[in-house]
Amino acid sequence: MSTTNRFASLDDLVVGVNNEKAFEAVKNMVALFPKPGVLLLYGPSGSGKTALLRAAVSEKIEDNPDLKILWQSSEDYIRLLIAAIKGKDTEAFQRGYIGRQLLVIDNLEDFGGKSVTQTGLAENIARAFNSGAQVFLAANHYCKPLKVEAMLREMIPDFTVVDLTLPDQLTLERAWISYGKSIGISCSSEYMEFFHKSSDIQNFWALNGLLQSYLTQGKFIFNETTTAKDHKK
């Protein structure tokens, strides 16, 4: 997995009302490492679920570069499961969750109504937990509650669920300034102009993706007719 990320640690994250509870839950679990636990984050796209998990993993890697980590998206999980079924080697697939110190599975909403797949997922998460792993899970809020959540509550006593919301404008601006510092353009008037003219885009990562596109195309400086609606096209 890749943990390339603009955050060196959890302490570098911008914390606001939208992610304060999730931040504390992640930080508390990381502080208890290597005690096993399971944390599920629900939130809309752009609320910072994945950023939180990456920061947590980055912090633990810094402490222990030999950490046994498995980071998967739901797409990765399903793809590997199908390959294991076709190869008639599901036992090897299941063993892959044993002996991990950190297990992260993102985008759980992609499992949808696949009850059989969610049952197997819950069993593999329990395998990881029972063999000593800290497990971090993330899902979009529109699919709450997931069937796997109910299954995990029956299997694992130390199970926490936290909700995130989209950041308010102040938190988003603080995150934007922090990001600007990390890429060396925080003092640019064009940079802050970009933010304020795009301020109705609450998804930080959509905003960041748009910025990268503009930087690549050399279109960083705005003209008077540029609007947020233009950005969204």
Side-chain angles (χ1 to χ4, degrees), residues 28 70 79-80 105 111 139 149 165 186 232:
N28 289 342
L70 178 58
R79 175 175 52 80
L80 292 170
I105 305 180
F111 285 99
E149 178 187 338
T165 59
S186 57
K232 289 182 176 180

Side-chain angles (χ1 to χ4, degrees), residues 109-227:
E109 66 273 7
D110 292 342
F111 285 99
K114 303 179 180 70
S115 297
V116 175
T117 305
Q118 290 197 49
T119 299
L121 173 65
E123 290 171 349
N124 284 326
I125 290 171
R127 287 185 179 96
F129 171 82
N130 291 331
S131 65
Q134 287 196 341
V135 183
F136 296 91
L137 309 168
N140 199 295
H141 72 300
Y142 71 75
C143 65
K144 183 182 180 180
L146 285 164
K147 291 181 179 179
V148 70
E149 178 187 338
M151 297 173 192
L152 288 173
R153 288 190 183 281
E154 294 181 1
M155 298 178 181
I156 299 171
D158 191 6
F159 180 63
T160 304
V161 178
V162 183
D163 291 285
L164 294 87
T165 59
L166 287 171
D168 59 31
Q169 201 60 28
L170 178 59
T171 303
L172 190 62
E173 181 168 348
R174 287 169 55 216
W176 193 242
I177 292 171
S178 175
Y179 180 64
K181 289 179 180 179
S182 75
I183 61 176
I185 59 173
S186 57
C187 295
S188 165
S189 59
E190 291 92 350
Y191 179 74
M192 291 313 297
E193 182 181 3
F194 176 91
F195 172 80
H196 289 293
K197 286 194 174 182
S198 310
S199 60
D200 63 331
I201 303 177
Q202 286 189 290
N203 184 331
F204 178 91
W205 298 109
L207 195 60
N208 175 52
L210 182 61
L211 170 65
Q212 297 304 324
S213 173
Y214 269 66
L215 287 173
T216 301
Q217 298 173 46
K219 296 180 179 179
F220 188 58
I221 299 177
F222 288 87
N223 58 47
E224 293 301 318
T225 60
T226 304
T227 66

